Every structure is written in structure tokens, then in C-alpha cells.
């Protein structure tokens, strides 16, 4: 059974850096695509980007390119989403989700989410 | 403004059939598979329908999906109170090179 375990909630101040994680188990981590999806409070889903852990090939949504960094460490089956300088507008729930085919919109398994709150 | 267009809400009495539409274009729905996600209150989304009309194991057969041209729809036959949730359509968009989601439809059982 595919399981994606995300790191815990974070409260940060504007300008701070942050790296959240998503650990996969129960499947071949390197051969599934791993995506990040943002959901702002009371709003819909936004696809941020995806990584293929086997070769770290990464694609970003133009809306998030340059704003975040997606990475993975296949030795510990973990993917990351990173900010270098948070803004209040980054306050949201962030989900990781896996796709076992190149149909990137077919997100079969989801983590429980990591709540990120950015406030001074 | 979402690339895929869904009605913000839909409702029905228990046992009724409820249908949710998802409208797109040739660069997304018209040329790619549509997937549907269910998000129960306070939980993570869950894949409900994949590749236009396929149900993952464990999804009740009262949920069905269809696609025609640049539109897709999700039908819930025999609505139950536990089906109250937000439903999102999603598809790859060839022009934007993103997974596009609809804005979501909140389903209420009256």
C-alpha cells in the first residue's frame, strides 16, 4: 500500500526559509512521480510541480517557478518542497501526491498535508 | 480563475442523481484524460475517477465519470449524506504544461 507521510505543521515569519518533506513507503519511490499541490484556506487545488525521483527530473507550474524548489533524496525515499523567503501569501495546506504513470494528473495517493502559516 | 470550469455547488436529496460538469478546452480535456477527486471536509483529496471513467478499487459504483469533447462530468447515483464533499476535476494542459484543476464543486445532500 502506498503511504505518503508528510512533515508537521509549520509557523514561520515572513522572510524565513522552510523545507517540508514527504516520505514515501510501500512502493518503488524512485519510479513514481511525486507532485506538490497547494490549497489556500477555503480555496481550490493548485498544482505546483512534480519530480521523478529516479533522475530528479522536475517540472514546475509557471505560477510557482522560481518561488519554490522541489527536490528528492531517493536514498531515504523522501521528497521536499522548499522556500528561501516565505511570504504571508504562502499560508496554505500543502499536499504531496504520487502518480505511478506519466499521466501526471492521475494522483493516486495523497499525504495528509502540511499546514504552513506565515505571519509576523 | 481556474482553467477548468465547474459549478460552485450542486445538491440533491438522498437517493437522487447529482451531476457535476467540468468544462475545458482542446488543450486539456479535449486531448487528455480527466480525473476526479473527492475531498471530504477537513481531509486530503482522494482519487475518485481516473482516465475519464475508471474507478479505483474501493470506490462505490454509484460514482461514474464521462467525457465528451472538451467537457466531462461526474455523476453520483443515489446520493448519500456521506457524499457531501468538494469535488474537483483535473487534467493535464498541453499549452500551460500544468495539471489544471477545476475550481471545485461543493455537493450538499438536502
Amino acid at each position: 500500500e502506498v503511504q505518503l507521510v508528510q512533515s508537521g505543521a509549520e509557523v514561520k515569519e515572513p522572510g524565513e526559509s522552510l523545507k517540508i518533506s514527504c516520505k514515501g513507503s510501500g512502493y518503488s519511490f524512485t519510479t513514481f512521480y511525486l507532485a506538490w499541490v497547494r490549497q489556500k484556506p477555503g480555496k481550490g487545488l493548485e498544482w505546483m510541480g512534480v519530480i521523478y525521483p529516479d533522475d530528479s527530473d522536475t517540472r514546475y507550474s509557471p505560477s510557482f517557478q522560481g518561488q519554490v524548489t522541489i527536490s528528492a533524496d531517493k536514498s531515504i525515499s523522501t521528497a521536499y518542497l522548499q522556500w528561501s523567503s516565505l511570504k504571508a501569501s504562502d499560508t496554505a495546506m500543502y499536499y504531496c501526491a504520487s502518480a505511478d504513470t506519466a499521466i501526471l494528473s492521475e494522483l493516486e495517493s495523497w499525504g495528509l498535508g502540511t499546514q504552513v502559516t506565515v505571519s509576523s | 480563475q481556474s482553467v477548468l470550469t465547474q459549478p460552485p455547488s450542486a445538491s440533491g436529496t438522498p437517493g437522487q442523481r447529482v451531476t457535476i460538469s467540468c468544462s475545458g478546452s482542446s488543450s486539456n480535456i479535449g486531448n487528455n484524460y480527466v480525473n476526479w477527486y473527492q475531498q471530504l471536509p477537513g481531509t486530503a483529496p482522494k482519487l475518485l475517477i481516473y482516465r475519464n471513467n475508471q474507478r479505483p478499487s474501493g470506490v462505490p459504483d454509484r460514482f461514474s465519470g464521462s467525457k465528451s469533447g472538451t467537457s466531462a462530468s461526474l455523476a453520483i447515483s443515489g446520493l448519500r449524506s456521506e457524499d457531501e464533499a468538494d469535488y474537483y476535476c483535473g487534467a493535464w494542459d498541453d499549452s500551460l504544461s500544468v495539471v489544471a484543476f477545476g475550481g471545485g464543486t461543493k455537493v450538499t445532500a438536502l
Side-chain angles (χ1 to χ4, degrees), chain A residues 37 39 43-47 59-62 95 100-101 103-113, chain B residues 33-35 37 39 42-47 50-51 88 90-92 96-103:
Chain A
V37 176
Q39 187 170 38
K43 301 297 184 182
L45 306 175
E46 300 174 89
W47 186 83
R59 306 186 210 183
Y60 293 93
S61 162
Y95 295 101
D100 72 351
T101 74
I103 304 171
L104 298 182
S105 63
E106 193 173 300
L107 298 167
E108 299 178 313
S109 299
W110 293 66
L112 297 182
Chain B
Y33 287 119
V34 177
N35 304 284
Y37 298 89
Q39 187 174 31
T43 70
K46 166 191 161 185
L47 182 64
Y50 67 100
R51 300 185 201 181
Y88 296 90
W92 181 257
L96 300 174
S97 296
V98 300
V99 172
F101 288 107

Side-chain angles (χ1 to χ4, degrees), chain A residues 4 24-34 51-57 72-79 98-101:
Chain A
L4 299 174
S25 63
Y27 71 103
S28 175
F29 181 78
T30 54
T31 58
F32 279 39
Y33 292 85
L34 200 296
I51 189 165
Y52 188 66
D54 194 39
D55 60 8
S56 289
D57 182 37
D73 183 344
K74 58 186 181 182
S75 69
I76 55 172
S77 301
T78 301
S98 66
D100 72 351
T101 74

